[in-house]
């Protein structure tokens, strides 16, 4: 009887869970996409000959990787509006914080991928008359991208799971939908188990 009740609740609320899953995928796709751009530039900056650029990139990576995503979300959503003078939309804050977080991890992935490319490749490009930036853009980075694809896929999977933290902003993503169903029905096992299955 209890199982039938749980199944009927899930069936009734399935559209809410599916909508939440869609928002989770939106946050993940945008965050990882922006994180890729941030991470690629910061990863290259960490290998710069300029000590200031290298230092700023290292500070960014260390600060972001050394603090929880939840704190970063609160800083973007609650603290940043006090600096800029107006409220930030929860979706924009969630994507912004997740992008900044993802960028720090992607930067380390790209840095490792660039270092994995044989130094002779860059030297050969330079000997052909390419500048340092041209050899990085045309020769080293394309090979580095091939090296980092498995780690980038792992980062995307991680971001799908970490996006559940965005429910603290009232975002109607998957975890928030499961919490809403549990709160309105008084039954926790079915909605949270289904959310876990969808994340899996």
């Amino acid at each position: 009887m209890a199982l039938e009740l749980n199944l009927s609740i899930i069936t009734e609320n399935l559209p809410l869970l599916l909508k939440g899953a869609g928002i989770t995928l939106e946050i993940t796709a945008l965050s990882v996409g922006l994180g890729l751009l941030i991470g690629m530039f910061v990863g290259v900056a960490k290998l710069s000959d300029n000590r200031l650029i290298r230092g700023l990139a290292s500070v960014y990576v260390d600060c972001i990787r050394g603090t929880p995503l939840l704190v970063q979300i609160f800083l973007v959503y609650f603290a940043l509006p006090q600096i800029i003078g107006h409220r930030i939309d929860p979706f924009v804050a969630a994507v912004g914080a997740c992008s900044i977080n993802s960028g720090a991890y992607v930067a380390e992935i790209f840095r490792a991928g660039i270092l994995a490319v044989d130094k002779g490749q860059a030297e050969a490009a330079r000997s052909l008359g390419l500048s340092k930036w041209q050899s990085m853009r045309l020769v080293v980075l394309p090979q580095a991208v091939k090296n980092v694809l498995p780690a980038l896929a792992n980062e995307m999977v991680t971001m799908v799971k970490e996006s559940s933290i965005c429910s603290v902003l009232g975002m109607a993503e998957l975890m928030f939908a499961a919490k809403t169903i549990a709160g309105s029905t008084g039954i926790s096992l079915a909605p949270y188990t289904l959310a876990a299955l969808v994340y899996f």
Side-chain angles (χ1 to χ4, degrees), residues 111-132:
R111 185 184 67 82
I114 291 167
L115 290 175
V117 175
D118 192 283
K119 286 184 180 179
Q121 298 287 323
E123 290 168 3
R126 296 297 297 277
S127 70
L128 291 171
L130 296 178
S131 68
K132 187 171 182 181

Side-chain angles (χ1 to χ4, degrees), residues 7 49 64 93 102 116 145 156 164 185 192:
L7 289 174
D49 294 332
I64 298 301
S102 180
V145 167
M156 180 169 269
S164 63
T185 62
Y192 289 133

Side-chain angles (χ1 to χ4, degrees), residues 33-50:
L34 292 170
L36 277 172
L37 290 175
I38 296 168
M40 190 162 53
F41 284 108
V42 174
V44 171
K46 283 199 76 175
L47 298 171
S48 172
D49 294 332
N50 186 307

Side-chain angles (χ1 to χ4, degrees), residues 89-156:
D89 180 77
F91 185 82
V92 173
V95 170
C98 289
S99 299
I100 292 167
N101 181 274
S102 180
Y105 287 92
V106 171
E108 284 297 282
I109 292 170
F110 266 106
R111 185 184 67 82
I114 291 167
L115 290 175
V117 175
D118 192 283
K119 286 184 180 179
Q121 298 287 323
E123 290 168 3
R126 296 297 297 277
S127 70
L128 291 171
L130 296 178
S131 68
K132 187 171 182 181
W133 169 242
Q134 286 175 323
S135 64
M136 176 64 75
R137 184 169 57 90
L138 299 172
V139 178
V140 177
L141 273 179
Q143 294 180 68
V145 167
K146 186 179 69 174
N147 292 339
V148 303
L149 283 177
L152 290 178
N154 189 49
E155 172 61 21
M156 180 169 269

